[in-house]
Amino acid sequence: MTSLSSGAWIDHFLTSEPPRHKSLVMTLCGDTIAPHGGAFWLGSMIELLGPLGVSDRLVRTSVFRLVQEGWLVASREGRRSRYALEPRALPRFERANRRIYSAPGLHWDGRWTFVLAPNGSIDGDLRALLRKELEWEGFAMLATGVMAHPAPDRDTLREILARAGAGGKVFVCDAAELPSVGSRPLPELVGDAWDLSSVVESYRQFIATFTPVAENLDDSLASQDAFAIRTLLIHAYRRVQLHDPMLPLELLPTPWPGSEAYELARHIYRRTQARAEEHVMAMLRKEDETTPPADAAFHERFGGLD
């Protein structure tokens, strides 16, 4: 992809599908800042987001709101502002990274995990918080106080319950289909519990948007354009995945477009990451010459970048 054609695609994307500014800052924190020590100077964030159509004022407003919401912690050195990922928010960034950069297709042993909160066991605020957190992880609410998923990450589930203050207050159990009693097959529960039509459509739209990028990438791509494409790619892919319950492939329609979307994202990320990192390091080291290169976990994304 030439610099001209890549620039034209970036401009078209930003015009036709302008990302929300705070959400774009979040994407940058997880995809770009976290591998480089998890901290940044405000000037660096402004430099990185400027070519993506985010003004100085909007960067400041977005970062301020993320501090208020507990995602970032602020400090000052003279007139300069420095921000770091809030330690208590790190598990949520790590969970998001596992979703984004890992191949779809969870191992499934045929069992389901249920989280049960009978009436009166927890108050309304905790019930609402727990439902929000578990739905973000793909759980479906089958009935009041009953949520289920066929293959949740157990460490993530443990962390959610602890952080929400629900440890020791809800029941968590595994269940398998009981044979020879005339029940419906448990896999049919997917159709009753999740409406996957919007997820399928979102994956198809992602594929349609980014396939032309994959088809036209070449070695002449400018580092700033490579960074812009990588950032917009992950931002768009993350938005789709937020609504994907991440069910085992055995329970999903065939062919599952999430698998094609992952391979497309993987291809573009691997082709752009080296040039993108040149731009990232140049921008971050303008404010801090000690900014470290990307850590080992970065190079393991999408099954390995090197």
Side-chain angles (χ1 to χ4, degrees):
M1 178 179 283
T2 66
S3 295
L4 178 62
S5 62
S6 64
W9 182 90
I10 292 165
D11 289 343
H12 174 73
F13 184 96
L14 293 173
T15 301
S16 60
E17 302 180 50
R20 292 188 300 116
H21 306 118
K22 189 178 75 170
S23 182
L24 191 58
V25 173
M26 279 287 287
T27 295
L28 213 62
C29 285
D31 186 64
T32 301
I33 301 301
H36 292 281
F40 62 92
W41 293 95
L42 183 61
S44 297
M45 183 65 75
I46 291 171
E47 292 268 11
L48 287 168
L49 287 175
L52 295 178
V54 187
S55 69
D56 179 316
R57 179 181 62 82
L58 288 173
V59 172
R60 293 176 187 275
T61 300
S62 299
V63 169
F64 176 73
R65 289 177 178 170
L66 291 174
V67 171
Q68 288 185 312
E69 294 171 7
W71 292 100
L72 299 173
V73 59
S75 60
R76 292 189 66 84
E77 182 180 296
R79 300 181 62 183
R80 297 197 305 163
S81 298
R82 186 175 186 270
Y83 297 88
L85 304 184
E86 164 62 57
R88 289 172 296 183
L90 289 178
R92 302 184 73 178
F93 279 105
E94 291 166 0
R95 281 159 49 195
N97 285 349
R98 285 197 297 270
R99 287 175 65 115
I100 294 168
Y101 306 111
S102 299
L106 300 171
H107 169 68
W108 189 53
D109 59 5
R111 301 180 67 84
W112 288 64
T113 296
F114 291 86
V115 178
L116 310 175
N119 287 336
S121 61
I122 57 177
D123 62 34
D125 290 343
L126 179 54
R127 188 182 298 274
L129 174 61
L130 198 55
R131 176 180 178 180
K132 177 182 177 181
E133 291 285 341
L134 290 176
E135 285 183 339
W136 195 88
E137 283 300 318
F139 276 76
M141 189 171 77
L142 305 182
T144 301
V146 180
M147 301 195 72
H149 193 284
D153 183 277
R154 295 194 176 190
D155 290 337
T156 297
L157 179 56
R158 184 183 304 111
E159 186 266 324
I160 289 173
L161 295 180
R163 181 164 45 80
K169 298 180 181 180
V170 297
F171 300 95
V172 182
C173 59
D174 276 347
E177 184 177 317
L178 190 62
S180 305
V181 297
S183 71
R184 289 175 62 188
L186 261 180
E188 291 184 7
L189 189 57
V190 170
D192 292 345
W194 289 274
D195 179 4
L196 297 174
S197 59
S198 62
V199 177
V200 168
E201 180 56 32
S202 294
Y203 274 128
R204 288 174 176 164
Q205 181 60 45
F206 173 85
I207 292 166
T209 299
F210 284 92
T211 293
V213 177
E215 292 175 344
N216 291 286
L217 285 173
D218 62 38
D219 294 335
S220 67
L221 187 64
S223 61
Q224 179 176 293
D225 287 349
F227 166 75
I229 289 171
R230 190 184 83 176
T231 301
L232 295 175
L233 171 82
I234 293 303
H235 186 71
Y237 189 54
R238 181 173 72 91
R239 286 180 58 197
V240 178
Q241 282 208 323
L242 285 174
H243 302 286
D244 185 343
M246 307 300 284
L247 303 175
L249 289 178
E250 298 98 318
L251 300 177
L252 294 169
T254 304
W256 177 241
S259 298
E260 182 180 352
Y262 172 83
E263 291 301 328
L264 177 62
R266 179 176 182 265
H267 172 74
I268 296 174
Y269 201 92
R270 294 184 72 181
R271 288 291 306 277
T272 58
Q273 65 90 13
R275 299 304 307 278
E277 281 298 292
E278 293 175 7
H279 182 69
V280 168
M281 292 301 292
M283 295 300 101
L284 294 182
R285 285 184 171 172
K286 271 189 176 183
E287 296 277 345
D288 184 356
E289 294 181 354
T290 67
T291 298
D295 59 22
F298 172 84
H299 295 279
E300 294 172 0
R301 291 175 174 179
F302 288 110
L305 300 178
D306 300 324

